[in-house]
Amino acid sequence: MNSPKKNGNKTLILLLLAFILPVVAAKLVLSFDLYKGGVTNKGQLLANNASYHSLKMENPKPREWQLIYLLPSHCGAVCQDRLYILQQSHTALGRNQDRVSTIVMVDEHSDTSALANFDMITARPSQQLSQQLNQQQLVIIDPLGNLVMSYPVAEDHQAQIMQGKALVADLRKLLKLSRIG
C-alpha cells in the first residue's frame, strides 16, 4: 500500500505542477512571439508623439478630427485614387461627417489641377509636416492636433478601396470612443 507520506508528496507535486505549468507555458508563448495581441485597428498607430505644434504648424481645423493627405507634385492614378478614397471615406461616415474634416495639404510643388474634381479643404503644410507626409499616406489627426494613425499608400485600386474601408472602420471606432471633437 501507499504510505501517507508518499501520497502527500504526489499531491504536492501535482498541485505545484497545476500552478507552475501554465506560467511556464505563458512565458514560452510570449517569448517566442506566438501570441498575436487583440489589435482591432487596421492603420498604423503613430507612436512618435507628432502634433501640429511639434511640427511647427497652425491647426487648420481645431477641435475637429481630421483626415489629411499631402498632394504630390504629380498626381497620377494612385494620387487620384487617394483623393477619391478620401472623399468617399468622409461621405461614408454618415451622421459623423460634421465631426471630421478632410484636408488636402498643398505646398508649392503640389499638382493642384488634380483637385478640380473634388471639393476639399486645402491647407499649406509646414516643412516638418511635409517631410512627415512625403510617402503619400493618409493620416488621422485627433481634435487636439496629434497625428494618431496613418495608412500607407497601396498601389492596387482594389487595395486602395479596402484601405478606405479600413480607414472608415478605424475612424468610427475613434469617434465612438472620443469625448471631444
Side-chain angles (χ1 to χ4, degrees):
M1 292 221 137
N2 287 344
S3 69
K5 186 171 184 163
K6 269 195 164 204
N7 223 2
N9 283 344
K10 185 177 174 183
T11 305
L12 180 63
I13 289 172
L14 287 174
L15 190 62
L16 285 174
L17 282 176
F19 286 102
I20 293 174
L21 197 59
V23 172
V24 171
K27 175 66 176 159
L28 290 174
V29 166
L30 291 175
S31 63
F32 290 118
D33 288 328
L34 299 174
Y35 175 72
K36 303 292 183 217
V39 176
T40 60
N41 60 298
K42 291 150 179 82
Q44 296 173 342
L45 289 173
L46 298 174
N48 59 359
N49 297 331
S51 67
Y52 279 129
H53 181 70
S54 68
L55 296 172
K56 296 176 179 38
M57 184 177 164
E58 190 68 33
N59 189 342
K61 287 286 192 173
R63 297 190 202 108
E64 284 187 26
W65 287 90
Q66 300 168 29
L67 283 172
I68 64 169
Y69 175 66
L70 177 65
L71 196 63
S73 57
H74 172 69
C75 192
V78 172
C79 170
Q80 288 289 331
D81 280 347
R82 297 300 264 182
L83 291 171
Y84 178 74
I85 294 298
L86 202 59
Q87 183 177 18
Q88 293 302 314
S89 298
H90 188 260
T91 304
L93 289 172
R95 64 183 173 96
N96 287 320
Q97 282 182 17
D98 59 334
R99 295 178 65 191
V100 180
S101 292
T102 304
I103 302 172
V104 177
M105 297 291 173
V106 180
D107 62 11
E108 62 273 358
H109 306 294
S110 295
D111 181 10
T112 55
S113 64
L115 294 175
N117 300 331
F118 302 99
D119 182 30
M120 295 185 190
I121 300 168
T122 59
R124 189 170 249 348
S126 66
Q127 184 68 27
Q128 292 86 348
L129 184 61
S130 290
Q131 290 171 354
Q132 183 92 12
L133 299 175
N134 66 353
Q135 305 296 303
Q136 287 199 42
Q137 68 265 30
L138 299 173
V139 176
I140 296 175
I141 299 180
D142 71 7
L144 301 175
N146 301 311
L147 280 70
V148 177
M149 198 174 290
S150 73
Y151 298 83
V153 69
E155 299 296 329
D156 181 327
H157 179 70
Q158 192 62 31
Q160 292 263 23
I161 291 172
M162 295 307 293
Q163 194 175 57
K165 289 179 181 180
L167 175 88
V168 170
D170 286 344
L171 246 177
R172 282 189 175 140
K173 285 178 198 166
L174 288 169
L175 291 169
K176 182 178 179 182
L177 297 172
S178 174
R179 297 182 192 267
I180 55 176

